[in-house]
Amino acid sequence: MHDTVVLLVDDEADFVEIMTKRLKKRSFHVEVAFSGPEALEVLENTEKVDIVLLDVKMPGMDGIEVLSHIKEHSPLVEVIMLTGHATVDSAVEGLKLGAFDYLMKPCDIKVLMQKLNAAMKRRQQQVEEAMEARTQDIILRHGR
């Protein structure tokens, strides 16, 4: 059903394991990373990541740093921030930096599915718009 690739980034192994099972059960392809640098490496080496579920609070490189790197290098990848109560301000900061949305942890699977589907729709729309702009550019350059 889905060929959507979700990269799940969180330093809590139990959370990653549970969420991976829940997403795979719903036919998502799931890649995992347990740190910011690992997430960026997965993004660089994986042919297609559609959506990143990104924990805000991680040791070392936090989710905000990872988000700004993703938006700089892969602007069409949608990012949903995952946050605990203490990091809501960071999640809001993430929205300003281009995150699609944020969810409180632990998140309700139905709400998560709604957010993932909405993020995927926005990504498809942006990809189509980018292709249209490129087509228009080619037409203009070749004078037709």
Side-chain angles (χ1 to χ4, degrees):
M1 185 175 131
H2 283 283
D3 60 352
T4 303
V5 179
V6 175
L7 171 57
L8 177 57
V9 186
D10 198 300
D11 60 318
E12 296 175 43
D14 291 346
F15 178 78
V16 170
E17 186 180 330
I18 291 165
M19 288 304 294
T20 298
K21 284 179 184 170
R22 288 176 149 191
L23 291 168
K24 285 184 174 180
K25 186 176 169 185
R26 288 160 180 83
S27 303
F28 286 93
H29 177 82
V30 182
E31 296 286 336
V32 298
F34 297 96
S35 69
E38 190 180 341
L40 298 177
E41 192 176 311
V42 170
L43 273 170
E44 204 173 286
N45 296 320
T46 303
E47 199 167 301
K48 176 188 160 223
V49 171
D50 298 299
I51 303 169
V52 177
L53 285 176
L54 178 60
D55 189 21
V56 171
K57 197 165 174 62
M58 294 183 290
M61 181 185 248
D62 71 7
I64 297 298
E65 286 179 80
V66 176
L67 170 66
S68 45
H69 189 88
I70 291 170
K71 286 300 171 184
E72 184 180 330
H73 297 281
S74 306
L76 294 178
V77 172
E78 294 295 349
V79 179
I80 298 172
M81 308 294 290
L82 299 172
T83 182
H85 293 287
T87 55
V88 172
D89 289 345
S90 296
V92 172
E93 184 185 341
L95 293 175
K96 291 177 186 169
L97 290 172
F100 178 75
D101 210 336
Y102 73 92
L103 286 169
M104 299 297 287
K105 284 168 65 175
C107 50
D108 179 277
I109 192 69
K110 288 179 187 164
V111 174
L112 175 61
M113 295 311 298
Q114 290 169 348
K115 302 263 191 213
L116 286 170
N117 289 325
M120 197 58 215
K121 280 184 187 155
R122 184 164 98 172
R123 176 179 162 74
Q124 287 169 338
Q125 183 179 1
Q126 289 179 332
V127 167
E128 287 169 15
E129 288 170 5
M131 288 171 57
E132 180 64 30
R134 185 156 185 246
T135 303
Q136 290 299 325
D137 184 51
I138 291 169
I139 290 170
L140 287 172
R141 276 192 279 138
H142 293 288
R144 292 180 185 240

